[in-house]
Amino acid sequence: MAKVGVLGARGRMGREVIRAVTEAPDLEVVAEVDQGDALDALAGCDVVVDFTHPGVVMSNLHWCVGHDLDVVVGTSGFGEDRLGEVRGWLPGHPDLRVLVVPNFSVGAILMMRFAAQAARFFPSVEVIELHHAGKADAPSGTALRTASMIAAARAAAGLGPPPDATASALPGARGTAVDDVHVHSVRVAGLVAHQEVLLGGTGETLTIRHDSLDRASFMPGVLLAVRRIGSLPPGLTVGLEGLLGLD
């Protein structure tokens, strides 16, 4: 039975992870750690799951790497700068695995994949992500990942930046640009996690949307990551695509 530690154990996602792992017959929660708790409780875990906060996740992850603990990271805020920093910690830990997952929902992963496939056929594309009002970061990790995948697909197809004739705008009116793809963030009480990719061409538009209506939608992906992180190559992996057979 695999021993699992949970960072952010008293948060909404942490509580859901504990419930899912506790109900799994092949997994056991052996450490529940949150703000103010000693990280030493994680020693001896087979894998640690981090659902904390963008402001503390890097120090948590650095501690886990230093103690040679495999980690599944669901906390947002991982751009290329942070991923590069994590890669810099790993050479001294040749057997360690760090899995950073922008979104654990199978539907969301497929949404990102479909958006990247469609992006090369349309000159225009923008991303709108919508989350609950308590989310700490904007844009979401899923939106950043989606925009990067779309940009890579467009570059491979030889497409330039999407057309945009905006000559004047109030700050933030056009969202933020991620690799020339505009991303807009909405924060409204009552939402959970939602995203639309809007693609446009001559006389037509295509909308690809995913909605997570309950945090339970992330748990099959979390359990997959916990169970199969040992099958990944040592080092840093981003996304569940490989474990889902989508690579």
Side-chain angles (χ1 to χ4, degrees), residues 11-128:
R12 286 169 293 194
M13 283 299 296
R15 294 195 302 269
E16 194 68 32
V17 170
I18 290 169
R19 181 196 62 77
V21 172
T22 300
E23 292 176 357
D26 56 331
L27 304 174
E28 177 185 10
V29 177
V30 297
E32 301 179 17
V33 178
D34 210 297
Q35 184 176 7
D37 298 333
L39 297 180
D40 292 339
L42 300 170
C45 291
D46 297 309
V47 59
V48 175
V49 179
D50 186 296
F51 275 103
T52 54
H53 187 280
V56 299
V57 63
M58 292 299 283
S59 60
N60 290 339
L61 185 50
H62 188 263
W63 188 94
C64 290
V65 169
H67 289 77
D68 290 306
L69 296 172
D70 286 348
V71 190
V72 175
V73 182
T75 304
S76 283
F78 279 83
E80 284 303 318
D81 54 343
R82 286 194 164 191
L83 294 174
E85 187 175 352
V86 174
R87 291 187 184 99
W89 300 338
L90 296 176
H93 306 273
D95 298 322
L96 186 67
R97 295 164 176 84
V98 175
L99 174 59
V100 175
V101 182
N103 198 309
F104 285 94
S105 161
V106 173
I109 293 167
L110 292 172
M111 174 267 297
M112 290 187 274
R113 178 58 61 97
F114 297 157
Q117 289 177 333
R120 61 195 177 99
F121 297 104
F122 293 88
S124 291
V125 59
E126 302 204 5
V127 178
I128 304 172

Side-chain angles (χ1 to χ4, degrees), residues 51-224:
F51 275 103
T52 54
H53 187 280
V56 299
V57 63
M58 292 299 283
S59 60
N60 290 339
L61 185 50
H62 188 263
W63 188 94
C64 290
V65 169
H67 289 77
D68 290 306
L69 296 172
D70 286 348
V71 190
V72 175
V73 182
T75 304
S76 283
F78 279 83
E80 284 303 318
D81 54 343
R82 286 194 164 191
L83 294 174
E85 187 175 352
V86 174
R87 291 187 184 99
W89 300 338
L90 296 176
H93 306 273
D95 298 322
L96 186 67
R97 295 164 176 84
V98 175
L99 174 59
V100 175
V101 182
N103 198 309
F104 285 94
S105 161
V106 173
I109 293 167
L110 292 172
M111 174 267 297
M112 290 187 274
R113 178 58 61 97
F114 297 157
Q117 289 177 333
R120 61 195 177 99
F121 297 104
F122 293 88
S124 291
V125 59
E126 302 204 5
V127 178
I128 304 172
E129 57 96 349
L130 310 92
H131 282 79
H132 56 90
K135 186 168 177 58
D137 58 318
S140 69
T142 300
L144 293 173
R145 173 78 166 160
T146 305
S148 295
M149 292 172 65
I150 287 170
R154 289 174 59 84
L159 296 176
D164 185 357
T166 303
S168 64
L170 293 176
R174 296 289 291 117
T176 190
V178 180
D179 297 329
D180 291 326
V181 177
H182 282 277
V183 178
H184 310 266
S185 297
V186 176
R187 297 291 177 265
V188 174
L191 298 177
V192 178
H194 318 262
Q195 182 166 292
E196 288 186 0
V197 180
L198 306 179
L199 303 111
T202 303
E204 65 174 342
T205 61
L206 171 65
T207 300
I208 302 173
R209 180 177 174 111
H210 175 261
D211 298 278
S212 282
L213 305 176
D214 190 289
R215 289 174 179 83
S217 65
F218 305 119
M219 291 307 105
V222 171
L223 294 178
L224 175 68

